[in-house]
Amino acid sequence: MKNSWRLLLTLLASFALVAAACGSSDDTVDAGSDEVESFNMGLTFDIGGRGDQSFNDSAAAGADRAVEDLGITVSDAEPNADGSDRAILLQAQADASTLVVAVGFLFADDVVAVAAENPDVNFAVVDDAMLDFEADPPVSRGDNIAGLTFAEEQGSFLVGAAAALKSETNTLGFIGGVGGFGLIEKFEAGFTAGAQAVNPDVVVIPQYITQAPDFDGFFAGDRAREIALSMYDQGADIIYHAAGGSGAGLFEAAAEQSESTGSQVWAIGVDSDQYNTAGAEAQPYILTSMLKRVDNAVYEITTSHANGDFTAGNVVYDLSTDGVGYSTSGGYIDDITDQLEEFKAQIVSGDIVVPTAP
């Protein structure tokens, strides 16, 4: 059965590649200083795929920009509901591509296995360093594998500072999609540190929807809504989420709470500028978003591959490279951006070291 699925997916990916190629009369692109042959990039989303208004959509935006700027083709895929076909999808992408980008740390082990079988294909994994930490110093888990990671704690520090500067109750909330594996805790740690840098007495109420290895917390909007309403009832007037697709439930709760009580409460988005992706009905309640520039990472690794400059190992995107940041859409934090920029400068200079664990 697995072989049948692999064959089917390989044929579909190959068909997409041929169809895209037939639609273009130019088989070269100007990628930086060198003219190189056009190629297909395989983009393998995490569960939720294109349209999640968050993590996957940010990766898709980077791929779309690469198509526009570099003239490449992109074939994309999404795992089934339990993610059990990740390796099959990766192999199908490798059969039709010279670069495969996997969106999410859950692909890490499968990428290592598939990359070893496809040494002429480059791979990149978003949110995993792809390093063997048993080696001293750590080395890449494969000569054709790059890890794209982010200083989420730094961007979260800035939106935490924004929340504390805007809060009228000095009580904030944090909703994590899935706890217990270290990544989402970075968001919580930075958010709390930023808030307390503004006001040491601010209270942050944290709650995770699920604990690893149960990753359903990233797709549980109803549960996020319930948690958010409870936090608002406890006095929180601003809640930050790092919960993927579940964030939609937070936005619903912010609107519901504000309209039912007549007192404005806020939500803070994550990954993408969610003021622009969550819909017009949510916009009056989204104070800002922590920007995790997955789009830039996908675009840059694609450009490096196009230039022949692909390098295995880990690339970290932080405030110094605008790999993380905050949004100003809606104008709700325009009056405090000077203060946020001061914090940003202190983090970049090293005067402030943001914690990565709560």
Side-chain angles (χ1 to χ4, degrees), residues 181-203:
F181 66 102
L183 175 60
I184 306 303
E185 285 82 357
K186 292 170 65 180
F187 294 81
E188 179 193 346
F191 181 70
T192 301
Q196 293 182 343
V198 171
N199 177 8
D201 296 324
V202 74
V203 174

Side-chain angles (χ1 to χ4, degrees), residues 102-113:
V103 186
F105 66 93
L106 290 173
F107 284 97
D109 289 342
D110 288 326
V111 164
V112 171

Side-chain angles (χ1 to χ4, degrees), residues 51-173:
D52 72 345
Q53 300 180 0
S54 185
F55 188 67
N56 287 313
D57 272 356
S58 185
D64 292 344
R65 185 164 22 129
V67 169
E68 182 176 351
D69 291 354
L70 305 179
I72 67 168
T73 60
V74 173
S75 58
D76 57 39
E78 177 188 345
N80 55 22
D82 63 3
S84 60
D85 62 344
R86 284 190 172 91
I88 297 172
L89 295 181
L90 290 170
Q91 182 57 59
Q93 296 280 32
D95 289 341
S97 312
T98 59
L99 172 67
V100 176
V101 178
V103 186
F105 66 93
L106 290 173
F107 284 97
D109 289 342
D110 288 326
V111 164
V112 171
V114 175
E117 295 296 322
N118 298 271
D120 295 329
V121 178
N122 287 330
F123 292 79
V125 180
V126 177
D127 267 355
D128 194 293
M130 299 308 294
L131 296 176
D132 178 3
F133 290 101
E134 293 184 0
D136 187 17
V139 297
S140 176
R141 296 180 69 184
D143 293 338
N144 56 338
I145 305 173
L148 313 177
T149 60
F150 300 81
E152 294 95 349
E153 71 281 0
Q154 294 183 356
S156 296
F157 183 103
L158 297 181
V159 297
L165 288 165
K166 286 292 187 177
S167 177
E168 296 182 359
T169 66
N170 292 327
T171 301
L172 310 173

